[in-house]
Amino acid sequence: MTAAALGLVLAAAVLHAGWNALAKRGADPLAFFALCSCVAAPLLFPFAAPLLWRDEVPAGAVPFVLGSIALHVLYFYALGRAYSTGAYSIVYPIARGLGVALVPIAAYLLLDERLSPIGIAGIVCVIVGVAVLHQVGHRHAIATGASLGAATLWAVITGLSIAAYSLNDRVGVTRLHPVAYILFIEVGCGLVFVPATLITRRGAIRREWAANWAAVIAVGAMSAAGYTLVLLAFRLSKTGYVVAARELSIVLSAVIGTLLMHEGRVAPRLAAATIVLAGVVCVALAR
């Protein structure tokens, strides 16, 4: 993995862990993510407008943009449902771990991306570490009497959507600049979530903004910036490596879930997160 790609992905991982922790505060997940898209799109527009003026939108990019909007709508909806029914430290490892496991296989089959032995070893380490983190979170949830079924189901759906949009976007950003690409995703998600929220939850957007406006602004900015960095990294490295290295955020989530959200003991979570980190190091050294 190139140094530039690694730097982009690690910065994205920090942003990703941060906004996921903040998103857990949302009282109404649908309203929360609708507002986040409304914040992200205006922030991205000044950067995307000159690119769109220069390059316009190639016809070949349109199907990938539309596909990414649909997959991100599913992703944010499933993530919101998962967070509303389960612990951050259970939901996050399942959702992110599925992407790491599925993307390299699918990238090999669909994009003919071949990984080196050390890259494969790194991805395996990430998957093992994620599995251990989930088991630790699972035990804590049982001990506290938390419900697991719905949270796990929605986390799995979130993970499948991550794998799908990662593969879609890997090709999409070869046809359209990543900054313009993410702008269209945010606008599309807003056009879906805002009307859906207004129809199904009268007054929810106003209440969510009043209660969590600071978190909405932070999540909107961090999620847009973080995924833009990932899209830029897709242009520089193989999909499997980018998705795996991004999971450094799981290490951060283990600390956040334990220290800030009081979701169990820190030692076993950090041990599992260290396995993830070892996998990320292997991916960073892979070619």
Side-chain angles (χ1 to χ4, degrees), residues 136-181:
V136 171
H138 186 274
R139 289 173 182 168
H140 174 70
I142 291 175
T144 56
S147 174
L148 297 172
T152 300
L153 173 62
W154 285 112
V156 168
I157 295 173
T158 304
L160 293 173
S161 66
I162 289 170
Y165 75 59
S166 296
L167 294 165
N168 177 84
D169 296 348
R170 173 65 177 85
V171 181
V173 294
T174 64
R175 291 163 167 76
L176 182 66
H177 193 281
V179 177
Y181 194 91

Side-chain angles (χ1 to χ4, degrees), residues 30-194:
L30 191 62
F32 188 90
F33 286 125
L35 286 167
C36 289
S37 291
C38 292
V39 167
L43 292 176
L44 287 163
F45 184 77
F47 302 99
L51 299 169
L52 291 169
W53 180 267
R54 184 191 68 192
D55 302 331
E56 298 183 338
V57 180
V62 173
F64 294 96
V65 170
L66 294 177
S68 191
I69 290 170
L71 290 167
H72 274 84
V73 166
L74 175 61
Y75 163 71
F76 283 119
Y77 180 76
L79 183 66
R81 291 296 301 271
Y83 280 159
S84 66
T85 54
Y88 173 76
S89 55
I90 289 180
V91 169
Y92 196 84
I94 295 175
R96 304 312 308 180
L98 268 178
V100 178
L102 295 175
V103 166
I105 298 170
Y108 173 75
L109 295 174
L110 301 175
L111 306 177
D112 196 31
E113 288 192 355
R114 300 174 185 274
L115 307 181
S116 69
I118 191 172
I120 294 171
I123 290 169
V124 170
C125 281
V126 172
I127 294 170
V128 170
V130 168
V132 174
L133 273 173
H134 173 250
Q135 194 60 30
V136 171
H138 186 274
R139 289 173 182 168
H140 174 70
I142 291 175
T144 56
S147 174
L148 297 172
T152 300
L153 173 62
W154 285 112
V156 168
I157 295 173
T158 304
L160 293 173
S161 66
I162 289 170
Y165 75 59
S166 296
L167 294 165
N168 177 84
D169 296 348
R170 173 65 177 85
V171 181
V173 294
T174 64
R175 291 163 167 76
L176 182 66
H177 193 281
V179 177
Y181 194 91
I182 190 67
L183 171 65
F184 284 124
I185 292 173
E186 294 292 356
V187 170
C189 287
L191 290 174
V192 173
F193 280 132
V194 171

Side-chain angles (χ1 to χ4, degrees), residues 9-24 75 83 88 92 96 219 222-223 226 246-257 260-261:
V9 175
L10 295 186
V14 173
L15 291 170
H16 197 274
W19 79 250
N20 270 268
L22 288 172
K24 191 75 168 71
Y75 163 71
Y83 280 159
Y88 173 76
Y92 196 84
R96 304 312 308 180
V219 170
M222 292 167 71
S223 64
R246 186 185 180 188
E247 301 323 310
L248 177 65
S249 59
I250 293 177
V251 179
L252 301 176
S253 78
V255 177
I256 292 170
L260 300 183
M261 299 180 179

